[in-house]
Amino acid sequence: MPTAPQTTDELYRALQENHRRPYGLTRTVTAEELVDAAERFAEPVPLVRALFELQEAYTYGSEPRKSPVVFARLLTLFDEQPDVFDDRMRHTLFWRFKWVANALRALPEIPLAGLRQWLTEMRDRYEKAGLGLQPYYGQAYQLAAHVGEDTALAYELWAGRARTRLSDCEACEICERALYHLAAGDDERALRAWEPVLAGKESCQEEPARSFSYALLPLLRAGRTDQARELHLAGYRGCRRNPSMAGEAGRHLEFCALTGNEARGLELLAENRNLFDEVDSPRERFDFLTGVEVLLQRVEHLGHGALPAAGFTGRTWTVSDLHAEVRERADGLAARFDARNGTTAHADRRKARLGRAPLLDALELTLRARTLDDVAPAAPVAAPTARTAPAVPESLPELILRARELDEQGHPDARACWARLRTLVAARGYTHPDDPAAGPLVQLHADLLDDEASRAGEKDEFADAAALHEEAAGLYDDAGQPGHAALARACALLATAQDPAQEADGAEAKAAALTAAHASMVRLHEETSGLTPRQEARLLRLRATALGMRLQTSGSEEHIAPVLAEVDLLHAFATRHDVDAQISGALLLRATTHALSGDLPAALTGTDGVLDRLKEHGPAWHLPRALALRGRLHLGLHNAQAAYTDLAEGLRLAADWPADTVDASRLHSDLAGACLHLGRPDEALRHLTRSAEIDLRLGNRFDAFCTYGNAAQLSLDLGRVEDCIALLDSMLAEPDVTAGELDDRLVAQLRLTRARALHAGEDLKAATAEFVALAAESAGWDDDPGSHAMIAAETAVLLGESGEFGRAREAVDQALAAHAEDPRHEQLSNCLRELARLQAERQGPEGLAGARAFLADAGRVADEARAAGYEAHGRPLDAALAYEHGRVNAYAGEYEDALTALEKALALLGEPGQDREHAGEWAECVRLAGAVEGVYLERTAPALTRLDAAVSRLTALGHTEGTEPLASLAARLRDEK
């Protein structure tokens, strides 16, 4: 706290500001400082309020030892100066007797007699104050359940009593009733009791997250797996990293362990690493550590004890090491509680949890399903296919010859041979075979460099690829292989032309670089003698590829014919020398060129020919690629079903080949697009996540994160909010994200989608915090002010929804400044109008000035848009603005101004026609005008005339769905008349 409050008003503002902070160290320390500040004032009320805030910080910050101490001070103040406590403070004081009882139960060092003595104090105080005793009996029951005594009588004494104003909230009492039935082994009755909370009808500070965590396993046992999955996603988000809900987090870890989601469990454990050190409550720590142990025990049982695990600070942990440490600490806590309570309840509860067998072999909890093999640090990069690995010759000379033969054919299995050779050559003591057929060692080194260069190029690491190809060319020269050297140099030319530095200078510069690369390849071709037919065909293919890329870059019509001419050369040469792979390659290039030139029918016909030839002559590994191209062409021609058929068949055939050689990731991504066109979004979602996972396994992390981002957005669009948040939480916890190594704009986009999902999930506080952070970060994007304008605008709306219109105004001003540099007319107008509505609706006449200021800004944005010739995608900005003026003035009680504005909006909208959306907007504007005119201005006759005419007009147009609100309002006006 920078400066201590000097007046009580400053103190109250500081208390209010601190109350908005999340529970944790910052809030607790600030609350302690505010108590110190309050003690300097002569009047006692500021101190009482500060002590209440401090006790809350301790209670929900998982510091049970300190909460009773603060309450003792409050109780003393109440005894000495009861008149200081108004009705609200008195209610709070008696409510918090329960907080203290709960805190004392959590501390095994407090004797059982001390717990009972406190309950006696609570009962006596309640009786003296004339308060009902149901809350006291509730605490007595919870003590009996905690100790492990027979709870039947205690339960009846509590549950059979009528609730009072000081009873726990409905949600908390429902949870206690359900846990009573659960302890008796009656899952069905427990779930029935929980139903109002599980259905979202009852909630509080800790609920429904607490109930969700306990209900997970009963739901599984009842076969309600989909509901268990939903509650895991929603409930975990409500308790993660929260020290006061560490036990709930532990139960989510246990749920992962018992449903085949051990990898997710380790991921969540890492996310909650803070709980190992920040949980001061022994009871919460006991619950958390027991859940952790269930997870670690399962992972170790599956043979992954050597995996790294997040644990106590100060050292690194493996699963096995952490398991032993957690077991010792949790056993110690159980022994302390049982010694205090004189029972074996805590040890028995641990034994029961640790003894549970998995309830399901596998339950897909998130869109990013992973196994323990996936989280191993040295997990091999492998495509998730069922393909059997190709046989690799044992003899070294045979292996070298086989690798070169497959490489010449362009066969995908060449990769496995080169990988094996790379391992052998790198091994200490490698001896190159003395076999003329295998060639010298320098040639093999060149081969391996060339393969490495190709892999770098596939990852868009073009500068590395070019350097490696050049190095390989030099070694081929040394080995006396001029044909291979020429091919390597041609590949280097193409890689150099694709370097992102060329793109930075614009499309024209990149096209020029590709033109130069092609010219150099032609010279290289002319100057190199002794090329074999396969080598010459590959060189022709590279020449055609360079021109194809130039066409793709420029889109210029004059670049079409040169590509087709080179393709014809390649096709004629390959046909003459019977080089099957290059014949099909030429046909594919021709079809692709037609597609790039916009002639999709010709491209489709060409692809049909390619597929016919491939099915008859091969090579088989080109089939997935050709089917993928035809599928994309069908999509371009709006034939989604045909596209789906081709892409699905391509994916089926791709399973016969390594994923990186047939681009299985792209196939899944294209299939997702086809599924969306066919109205099958859930299937599209599965294909997107599979595409991303393949890219992730192959090390293409940027592409993987982009695809996962698309999957998250689709989840959000489908209303699967928790799926979206869980997926993004998983991605944002990846090491390269937390270390700041991934592209910062991509990470910002993922965070933005997550913030929108939080908002959609009605977690306004978390969503607003993320938007505020993103707005601050994007303010530094000098190269992209438009994005900052949109983020700042969305931030302003969320601040408005939170009632913080001052901060919303600041965010809007940022958005407007950025908009001036890179206009976002519609987004800014929408934001400003929504803020005006929110302020007028929440604050009424007092908020009218601020609301009108927002609308004035929206008016200027609309003027700018009109001057720039901008057309909105939604409602015309002027009409939308006039309607909002009407609504804002109506909220503020300025009904004449409201009606005038609505008349203007109707004039701008114009009479409705066949367009259903426009008719709906017009009808809503008529309805509001009718309400203002007939209800608030009490001009019933003209209002009815307006409404009846609108109903007739809409009915004649067939828009009957828009007439009901108008007819209902008209009927109301007639009744009142």
Side-chain angles (χ1 to χ4, degrees), residues 55 97 212 352 453 464 481 542 558 587 621 625 660 724 854 905:
Q55 188 191 13
F97 272 90
F212 283 6
D464 291 343
Q481 297 289 329
L542 287 166
E558 67 182 29
L587 294 174
W621 59 88
R625 182 179 165 202
D660 56 341
C724 173
F854 286 130

Side-chain angles (χ1 to χ4, degrees), residues 499-524:
D499 194 294
Q502 302 290 348
E503 294 183 23
D505 295 330
E508 189 175 337
K510 184 176 180 181
L514 288 162
T515 300
H518 175 263
S520 297
M521 288 182 199
V522 172
R523 286 195 300 273
L524 186 65

Side-chain angles (χ1 to χ4, degrees), residues 647-660:
L647 292 165
E649 177 63 9
L651 192 60
R652 186 186 70 79
L653 296 175
D656 294 333
W657 308 103
D660 56 341

Side-chain angles (χ1 to χ4, degrees), residues 10-62:
E10 288 181 4
L11 176 72
Y12 293 152
R13 281 197 296 272
L15 286 170
Q16 189 175 27
E17 182 181 341
N18 196 45
H19 193 73
R20 289 197 294 264
R21 291 190 175 100
Y23 295 110
L25 184 60
T26 301
R27 177 166 174 171
T28 301
V29 169
T30 304
E32 290 170 340
E33 292 172 345
L34 290 173
V35 168
D36 291 340
E39 288 177 328
R40 300 191 188 103
F41 299 110
E43 51 188 306
V45 173
L47 178 59
V48 171
R49 292 180 60 176
L51 288 169
F52 275 140
E53 168 63 25
L54 180 57
Q55 188 191 13
E56 182 174 343
Y58 284 148
T59 298
Y60 289 106
S62 189

Side-chain angles (χ1 to χ4, degrees), residues 87-267:
D87 288 345
R88 184 177 178 182
M89 287 193 287
R90 183 175 179 275
H91 177 86
T92 301
L93 183 82
F94 280 94
W95 181 277
R96 293 191 179 184
F97 272 90
K98 298 179 294 181
W99 284 15
V100 174
N102 188 53
L104 297 177
R105 283 198 304 274
L107 302 171
E109 62 266 31
I110 304 297
L112 187 58
L115 301 184
R116 299 193 191 283
Q117 183 180 346
W118 177 253
L119 291 184
T120 301
E121 174 79 6
M122 178 181 175
R123 184 187 61 200
D124 292 346
R125 292 268 188 172
Y126 271 49
E127 287 179 334
K128 183 178 179 181
L131 301 171
L133 291 181
Q134 194 261 12
Y136 157 75
Y137 282 107
Q139 292 302 311
Y141 160 69
Q142 289 182 39
L143 177 59
H146 167 80
V147 170
E149 299 171 340
D150 183 357
T151 56
L153 177 59
Y155 179 79
E156 289 303 322
L157 287 171
W158 161 61
R161 275 180 160 75
R163 287 172 47 78
T164 74
R165 289 181 63 245
L166 289 168
S167 296
D168 285 344
C169 74
E170 289 276 9
C172 287
E173 290 204 344
I174 284 171
C175 185
E176 291 300 333
R177 291 191 190 97
L179 290 176
Y180 173 76
H181 298 309
L182 193 63
D186 194 342
D187 283 358
E188 184 179 351
R189 195 169 178 187
L191 290 172
R192 280 203 309 272
W194 257 317
E195 196 55 42
V197 176
L198 302 190
K201 297 175 183 176
E202 299 289 347
S203 64
C204 70
Q205 175 75 32
E206 296 178 340
E207 294 290 352
R210 182 167 179 255
S211 288
F212 283 6
S213 73
Y214 279 108
L216 294 173
L217 300 186
L219 285 169
L220 287 182
R221 291 192 289 262
R224 293 159 63 177
T225 54
D226 286 345
Q227 188 178 9
R229 176 186 179 276
E230 291 170 8
L231 297 190
H232 164 66
L233 295 179
Y236 170 69
R237 185 161 58 83
C239 65
R240 65 176 189 159
R241 296 198 294 265
N242 184 345
S244 70
M245 301 196 82
E248 284 74 11
R251 282 185 283 279
H252 282 281
L253 298 178
E254 179 178 358
F255 176 73
C256 290
L258 300 180
T259 56
N261 286 278
E262 298 84 5
R264 174 167 169 78
L266 291 178
E267 183 179 298

